[in-house]
Amino acid sequence: MDIKTLYDADINDITIAKNAFDKLYSAFGQHIESWQHEVVDRLANSQWTGTASDHAQARIRFLGTELQSAHSELDFVGKALAKAAEQFALAQSHLVYALDDAKDAKLTVAPDGGITWDKDPASPTYAGAGAETTAIAISNRITAALNEAAQADQEISARLNHFATNASNGTGLDAATVAKDQAAETGREQVPAPGTDPNSVKQWWNGLTDSERQKFINDHPDQVGNLDGVPATARDQANRINMKRAKQDLQSQLDGLGPEPKKYLSVAETNGGPVENPDYDEWQRKHQDLKEKLASIADIESRLSGDKLRTRGEPAFLMGFDTKGKGRAIISVNNPDTADNVVTFVPGTHARFATAIGDVDKADEMVRAAKESDPGSPKTTAAIAWVGYDAPQSLYPEASSDSYAENAEKDLARFQTALRTTHEGNPSHNTLMGHSYGTVAVGFTMRDHKLPVDDVILVGSPGVGVDHAKDLNIDPSHVYVARGSEDTMIKHVASTGLAFGLDPVDNDFGARHLPAGSTDHSHYWLPGSVSVKAFGAVIAGNGVGQ
């Protein structure tokens, strides 16, 4: 595809072909109705019986199926042409706008896409000091438009060839073939349901054109952004739309709360005290929740934008987003689909949407630690803060319950599978890490699912639902545990009836111990600490410990 071909293309020709197939589809449908009335119904109401009649009616029913199948195939052709016209028109408009902008910027675009400009400040056609930057941006837009058109061309050619083959060899008369074609057509119109296997999701995504993918992102960001099997860059784009809409909605809810109610209904004494206003506590709860979530969105927006106060220059990707209830957020430092090393970090008690940015800070530390553990290596690391489950919000009784970990299993297992499904190139070295109750969620998931992970790190763990590392469906030599000497709370819990199985730092558990020094339960990720350095080494595939 070149500039002239796309620019001069008459998209109306495709629309004319589409309209012709629509007329054929309509006429063929009328023919089927006439045949049904004149032949099928008359034969069914006749007095003709016997073996010959049975054979004739069976053949007519079969012929009816063939006619309906052919009718459906004609419909698919018309829809394919309509989609092609839309895609070509969009690509053409992108090219035209880019060329118009180039003209306005006093840039000259050659037929091969090369861009030149007048560099003489004294000339009336001088393009300005920023011409080179503008030229690069416009060149990228032209290339994108041509690629868009080329992909649309390949797509419509493949689809029309498919239907032509069906028509020429007779498979288009087969109901099973039509059912497959219908499933493919439906897939172009509907997002797979939540919980769909990531491999099926990726297959669906790969079958879409760029314009179809963009349409799903724009029209259904809440579905695409949280769908495991969709690549990280697309999920990020969709979730940024989700976040913008959620921010507006949360602000509207906050504004709708109105002024703070009085704490007491009156000053009258009842049992020695004033009468409390039942609306006050509810208003305070809603107000705090909304303010927390809005503050968290602001922090996440800052991190995604590359604010130097929040980042060391590594890009972030918003791979999951939901503010309902306690909310969820899945944020990756660097792209997990292209990174050589990928770690998923599952936080514990008190984790929720409002605290997600603190977990992203830990992810930043792990990326840096992995890089420092492998100096000079060109390998990259992605660290994911996975606030993708409803974590307990109190130490007791919530954090003593199995239910939060059990409810996390399917989502965490599917997310780990998706990391493999969407990864590009050679398989990455994947690590799954949990902290505190997050290790319970990790342990239960690994115990009940065969996860595609290379290493697991259990930090400050009260137990993981098994009594030996081998029961986590991974070689015990790839199970690491870390507990600081001042993490006395977890040490106590892990040795009591509140534990989830044998204490993971017990030698009988069979895991490898990482150095953690004298840290307490909340400071394993301090920059430069022995614990975070150890985490970085494991994440980079340089296993340490005893």
Side-chain angles (χ1 to χ4, degrees), residues 400-437:
S400 63
S401 171
D402 292 357
S403 63
Y404 297 91
E406 291 171 344
N407 292 337
E409 287 191 41
K410 288 183 179 179
D411 290 340
L412 182 55
R414 189 173 57 251
F415 184 78
Q416 292 304 301
T417 298
L419 289 177
R420 291 293 190 202
T421 301
T422 59
H423 194 270
E424 303 171 13
N426 295 328
S428 54
H429 174 262
N430 285 10
T431 302
L432 182 56
M433 169 190 281
H435 174 231
S436 191
Y437 192 91

Side-chain angles (χ1 to χ4, degrees), residues 483-494:
R483 181 184 297 160
S485 62
E486 297 302 311
D487 196 350
T488 54
M489 176 188 70
I490 287 298
K491 181 178 180 181
H492 172 71
V493 171

Side-chain angles (χ1 to χ4, degrees), residues 456 469 475-483 504-517 534 537-538 542-546:
V456 59
D475 186 329
S477 66
H478 290 272
V479 178
Y480 297 86
V481 295
R483 181 184 297 160
V505 303
D506 191 300
N507 288 333
D508 289 339
F509 186 80
R512 300 174 69 180
H513 291 218
L514 297 176
V538 175
N542 304 317
V544 296
Q546 304 175 9

Side-chain angles (χ1 to χ4, degrees), residues 260-543:
E260 178 182 4
K262 292 181 178 180
K263 188 171 184 179
Y264 301 106
L265 292 175
S266 71
V267 295
E269 297 289 325
T270 302
N271 297 324
V275 178
E276 293 187 358
N277 183 355
D279 294 334
Y280 177 80
D281 288 340
E282 180 64 12
W283 187 93
Q284 288 288 350
R285 183 192 66 77
K286 290 181 178 179
H287 186 268
Q288 181 180 354
D289 179 62
L290 292 170
K291 291 287 285 185
E292 273 193 347
K293 288 174 179 175
L294 283 167
S296 182
I297 287 178
D299 284 337
I300 293 172
E301 284 178 330
S302 177
R303 179 62 184 85
L304 293 176
S305 69
D307 188 327
K308 292 182 179 179
L309 295 177
R310 295 224 63 98
T311 178
R312 300 181 184 88
E314 312 289 357
F317 298 80
L318 187 57
M319 298 180 64
F321 182 89
D322 188 357
T323 59
K324 297 184 183 70
K326 292 300 178 182
R328 301 185 179 191
I330 303 173
I331 303 169
S332 179
V333 176
N334 286 328
N335 187 347
D337 291 341
T338 58
D340 300 290
N341 308 305
V342 180
V343 57
T344 303
F345 169 65
V346 183
T349 304
H350 302 304
R352 58 188 186 279
F353 178 78
T355 65
I357 197 64
D359 298 312
V360 178
D361 291 339
K362 295 181 177 69
D364 272 317
E365 284 301 326
M366 288 187 281
V367 168
R368 179 168 68 174
K371 184 182 298 184
E372 291 177 349
S373 76
D374 208 1
S377 173
K379 291 184 177 181
T380 58
T381 297
I384 303 165
W386 193 82
V387 189
Y389 78 118
D390 293 326
Q393 297 298 304
S394 66
L395 294 176
Y396 188 81
E398 292 186 7
S400 63
S401 171
D402 292 357
S403 63
Y404 297 91
E406 291 171 344
N407 292 337
E409 287 191 41
K410 288 183 179 179
D411 290 340
L412 182 55
R414 189 173 57 251
F415 184 78
Q416 292 304 301
T417 298
L419 289 177
R420 291 293 190 202
T421 301
T422 59
H423 194 270
E424 303 171 13
N426 295 328
S428 54
H429 174 262
N430 285 10
T431 302
L432 182 56
M433 169 190 281
H435 174 231
S436 191
Y437 192 91
T439 67
V440 186
V442 167
F444 278 35
T445 305
M446 294 192 69
R447 177 194 67 190
D448 299 333
H449 304 265
K450 179 66 175 176
L451 300 186
V453 298
D454 302 294
D455 289 302
V456 59
I457 305 175
L458 310 170
V459 184
S461 176
V464 294
V466 299
D467 290 330
H468 197 281
K470 63 179 175 59
D471 297 323
L472 295 175
N473 283 309
I474 191 174
D475 186 329
S477 66
H478 290 272
V479 178
Y480 297 86
V481 295
R483 181 184 297 160
S485 62
E486 297 302 311
D487 196 350
T488 54
M489 176 188 70
I490 287 298
K491 181 178 180 181
H492 172 71
V493 171
S495 63
T496 68
L498 296 175
F500 299 90
L502 183 65
D503 186 346
V505 303
D506 191 300
N507 288 333
D508 289 339
F509 186 80
R512 300 174 69 180
H513 291 218
L514 297 176
S518 59
T519 188
D520 60 21
H521 193 61
S522 302
H523 295 92
Y524 288 96
W525 285 268
L526 284 178
S529 63
V530 293
S531 51
V532 81
K533 287 182 179 179
F535 301 158
V538 175
I539 293 166
N542 304 317

